[in-house]
Amino acid sequence: MFALTGSQRVDLVFATALLCWADCSPSQQDDLAPLEVKFHSLDFRNVLHWKHPHKAAKHLTYFVQHKIYGDKEWSDSDHCQGIPKLECDLSQATSDPREWYYARVRSNSSEGFSSWVLSQRFYPQWETSFSPPQIKLTVTGQTITVQIRPPRTPLRGQKGSRIRVTKLQKLTFRIYLMHDGVEEEIHEMDSCSKDLVIEGLHPKTTYCLQALSVTPRSGRKSLRSSSTCVNTH
């Protein structure tokens, strides 16, 4: 062991400060990093959004990667490499609603790449919202039969048709029956029921119906559908 002189100690502190400044200080590119990277999900359409950095010009492009929680390697997100827009549809890459996912984004400019900005952990089954179902009404005398068409995901099945959300998430549907703008009855049906029969209505009367989707476990509700009106006979 040997002791440092006063001047040697000053030189050592100065050199350490220089190294820390070079390695630890934010780069100019980090001023161009995207802001508020997060998922928005409706009917399992899982779209990553971010905001343009405050100090940046408008010519930035963005690169997106994703992975399943626990995986070591990141995957480049298809169709989201060098894009100018501020979103990336990751529905196909995050198609298992019971998995946890991460995504990250970085920007590129004439000065190079920014650092990666990470999203929060995303769990589709808990975090997606749902659209209201569509309703089809059939009138027979003073009876209205309600058929429910659940919202569909952007995912496609083997035959190419879009998969209904009820294949991935259990839902119930709440139906509101109104006459002269006043709610008369509220009915509920689950996704396994084919239709709802409302009997004993007044003849020659206009009834309007609305429906919404409910997630039973959490109680989350969609907006109501637009009114569909029919006349009894």
Side-chain angles (χ1 to χ4, degrees), residues 110-156:
S110 58
E111 299 170 355
F113 285 102
S114 74
S115 58
W116 288 104
V117 180
L118 188 67
S119 73
Q120 292 185 334
R121 194 164 55 177
F122 172 62
Y123 188 58
Q125 193 168 45
W126 289 355
E127 298 182 48
T128 197
S129 299
F130 295 102
S131 303
Q134 295 180 340
I135 56 177
K136 180 181 178 181
L137 306 179
T138 304
V139 178
T140 306
Q142 288 87 56
T143 298
I144 298 176
T145 301
V146 185
Q147 292 181 311
I148 289 289
R149 295 179 178 175
R152 295 182 180 271
T153 75
L155 308 174
R156 296 192 178 274

Side-chain angles (χ1 to χ4, degrees), residues 150-168:
R152 295 182 180 271
T153 75
L155 308 174
R156 296 192 178 274
Q158 293 181 348
K159 295 182 179 180
S161 60
R162 290 169 58 191
I163 298 173
R164 293 180 177 180
V165 297
T166 47
K167 293 289 186 181
L168 303 178

